[in-house]
Amino acid sequence: MTAPPDRLWEEIVYIAYYLHWSFDSILELDHRTRARVIQEIGNINARIDGADQDEY
């Protein structure tokens, strides 16, 4: 197996950080599914950030 390109590493680390999934589990996702997971994590973070700003 060759090392994943930089963008794939970024995706793997992002998902692993937020969802605590294993490296292998993330690599098993096809690109479209992995991109959707990343989008949904971003959406959740945006809602949380927006809620935090509303408190001030």
Side-chain angles (χ1 to χ4, degrees):
M1 177 177 170
T2 61
D6 289 341
R7 177 65 186 162
L8 182 55
W9 273 110
E10 291 172 4
E11 293 176 0
I12 292 166
V13 171
Y14 187 81
I15 294 171
Y17 177 81
Y18 284 102
L19 301 181
H20 309 284
W21 291 0
S22 72
F23 183 83
D24 290 335
S25 294
I26 298 166
L27 280 180
E28 289 175 2
L29 300 173
D30 60 72
H31 175 71
R32 176 172 277 175
T33 303
R34 196 171 51 250
R36 178 64 188 263
V37 170
I38 289 168
Q39 177 185 9
E40 294 302 328
I41 292 169
N43 292 343
I44 291 167
N45 282 328
R47 285 195 302 270
I48 290 170
D49 288 346
D52 289 345
Q53 290 177 3
D54 291 342
E55 293 177 9
Y56 298 107

